[in-house]
Amino acid sequence: MDSKEFGKLIEEAQAGDHRAFEELVRDTYADTYTLAFRLVGDKEDARDVVQEAYLRAHKGIKKFRGDAQLTTWLYRITANCASTYLTRRNKHQHGDLDGLDPVDEDPDRDPTNRADVADLRSQLSDALMKLPPKLRSVVVLRDIYDLSHESIAEQLDITESAAKVRLHRARKRLREHLYPMGEEDQAHAV
Amino acid sequence: MLCSTISLELAEIADGSAELVDDSRVHVERCIRCQAELVQYKKILRGLTSLQGEFIVPDDGLLEEILATVQPPATVHKLHRLNHKHRKVAYISSIAAAGAAGAIVLAARLASREKVAS
């Protein structure tokens, strides 16, 4: 669907046309679900987050001003819903979102032998799922979905500097996971 | 300059939000390991960006679930009313059926008593 058609549907949905809103859902839900899954790391939880996100989008569609893309607006809503969901889940599980260091389930990792992009993507997806949710949320929103630090901070209810610190830690962990250091490198890092 | 100091900036340099200047530029130009780390961050960021075009396919039924969640209130009300109407019809029908069954049983008993009496 091109942006003109998209814009028309948004206008119709804002005017109360439920079918137009349904069409927007059909066109965006796979993308929104993918983001939700990357944020919460569980299929069932991602379904709940997506439903909540569209419910909020439905209630707030009239407030959408069109100064951002609809998808970016949906990303922000989804990020906010996922953050709320993770906080609630964490309360029930009494766990720490920052958690322990991710468990290394695959010690046989050597990216130099697997240089192709598809493989890197698959390794990255795995590495992302091993990050604690608080770090994962920030790196997913910034580096995959290109949300600004300001927007990320707002949706996750944290300060902008906290978002930047988390991003730095997340990227560092991803690098450590994908390119584990040898003894020589560890000495270099000191 | 220490590698560990530069290391804090390498990811930001890789995404273009910071630049290598003065001492740090000189250091990275000479340090093969910092160069390698910078390349690794660049690869990771490229890989992450490319993930945006990749969809995770949801299990069946998600679209229907979402559409049901965002049903306009009027439709939900209509559905409730419809359900209520159906329940009412079913209730009246069951009362009528029970009444008819009772009448048949009563008629059958009366008929058998009359037979016995005659």
Side-chain angles (χ1 to χ4, degrees), chain A residues 102 126-133 135-136 139 169-170 173-174:
Chain A
D126 290 348
L128 278 173
M129 286 304 138
K130 284 171 187 161
L131 285 178
L135 300 188
R136 187 172 62 225
V139 76
R169 287 173 61 197
R173 286 210 195 180
L174 285 178

Side-chain angles (χ1 to χ4, degrees), chain A residues 18 34 51 171 175 184 188, chain B residues 3 15 33 40 65 70:
Chain A
H18 189 68
T34 303
Q51 284 182 45
R171 285 171 169 177
R175 193 182 69 79
E184 205 183 331
H188 161 257
Chain B
C3 293
D15 78 4
R33 291 196 181 91
Q40 288 166 356
E65 283 175 23
V70 297

Side-chain angles (χ1 to χ4, degrees), chain A residues 18 31 33-34 37-38 47 50-51 55 58 75 120-121 124 143-144 168 171 175 179 184 188-189, chain B residues 3-4 8 15 33 37 40 43 45 47-48 50-52 54-56 59-62 65 69-70 72:
Chain A
H18 189 68
D31 196 12
Y33 172 79
T34 303
F37 178 77
R38 285 186 175 133
R47 285 175 90 97
V50 170
Q51 284 182 45
L55 194 61
H58 187 246
Y75 292 158
L120 176 67
R121 280 210 297 239
L124 266 173
D143 289 338
I144 303 181
H168 178 78
R171 285 171 169 177
R175 193 182 69 79
Y179 304 93
E184 205 183 331
H188 161 257
Chain B
C3 293
S4 54
L8 296 170
D15 78 4
R33 291 196 181 91
E37 199 171 318
Q40 288 166 356
K43 276 188 184 174
L45 292 171
L48 287 170
S50 73
L51 284 178
Q52 197 186 357
E54 220 173 59
F55 292 133
I56 297 164
D59 292 337
D60 289 345
L62 177 63
E65 283 175 23
T69 310
V70 297

Side-chain angles (χ1 to χ4, degrees), chain A residues 45-117:
Chain A
D45 292 350
R47 285 175 90 97
D48 291 344
V49 167
V50 170
Q51 284 182 45
E52 176 65 27
Y54 277 108
L55 194 61
R56 284 196 205 175
H58 187 246
K59 283 179 186 165
I61 188 76
K62 283 181 184 166
K63 289 180 200 157
F64 174 65
R65 288 174 306 195
D67 47 1
Q69 282 192 348
L70 181 82
T71 44
T72 310
W73 182 65
L74 280 172
Y75 292 158
R76 288 208 297 258
I77 295 175
T78 310
N80 191 276
C81 291
S83 174
T84 310
Y85 197 92
L86 284 171
T87 308
R88 219 181 302 145
R89 189 170 78 179
N90 188 46
K91 271 184 192 164
H92 287 297
Q93 291 178 347
H94 304 286
D96 181 1
L97 282 179
D98 271 324
L100 300 167
D101 283 334
V103 180
D104 183 0
E105 288 164 358
D106 178 16
D108 184 28
R109 290 180 270 109
D110 181 8
T112 53
N113 295 333
R114 288 169 268 152
D116 62 299
V117 179

